[in-house]
Amino acid sequence: MKVHIPAGGKMDPAVIEDSYKRAKEIFARCYPEYNFTCFLLVCWMLSLVLKEILPPTSNIVSFAKDYTVFPFKNNALDAFLYVFNINGKTIPEIDIAALPEDNSLQRGIKQKALEGKLVYQFGGYKPWN
């Protein structure tokens, strides 16, 4: 089953666990003929660069720990969209030095980008059980 993370939502572990629980109940009821084995996600929050930016106790890092990560070809724009609200540009068109630094995530992503390390999307799967 594919996971969707709504923009602007909090990554609170209790809320996340409740969402997984409700998804399992809904899918078991609506699709009893399927034997789901994992949750599937493609997201910038699975980027390994975030482990260099955020503390191990951050909700994003904690969330990502539940997933087995695999590479996924992409343009590294999602972090700029969801963290800086930049849309419709390519990486060379973004003035990285001018990006805001209103929080630690923005500061970290900006610093890594200035160092040439972008926050790419990765795929990941989490066992259903």
Side-chain angles (χ1 to χ4, degrees), residues 8-124:
K10 297 287 184 193
M11 297 299 296
D12 179 79
V15 172
I16 292 168
E17 278 308 310
D18 184 60
S19 293
Y20 287 133
K21 180 182 173 207
R22 289 185 296 130
K24 289 176 187 177
E25 291 168 357
I26 290 168
F27 275 79
R29 185 176 66 246
C30 295
Y31 302 100
E33 67 277 16
Y34 291 102
N35 182 24
F36 292 97
T37 59
C38 69
F39 292 95
L40 181 64
L41 174 66
V42 174
C43 184
W44 64 272
M45 284 189 270
L46 297 178
S47 175
L48 305 178
V49 173
L50 293 176
K51 291 181 179 181
E52 299 175 26
I53 295 170
L54 300 169
T57 56
S58 83
N59 286 343
I60 291 175
V61 172
S62 177
F63 170 79
K65 283 180 187 174
D66 288 342
Y67 284 83
T68 299
V69 177
F70 57 86
F72 183 83
K73 187 175 179 177
N74 64 93
N75 57 16
L77 288 172
D78 275 15
F80 292 104
L81 171 63
Y82 292 107
V83 177
F84 298 101
N85 202 29
I86 294 173
N87 195 10
K89 292 186 176 189
T90 63
I91 297 293
E93 295 172 326
I94 297 172
D95 183 359
I96 293 171
L99 292 174
E101 297 184 36
D102 297 334
N103 57 56
S104 60
L105 184 58
Q106 286 183 338
R107 281 189 296 279
I109 290 174
K110 176 181 176 177
Q111 183 60 45
K112 290 298 180 185
L114 289 169
E115 295 170 6
K117 284 182 126 178
L118 298 175
V119 176
Y120 284 92
Q121 288 179 290
F122 279 77

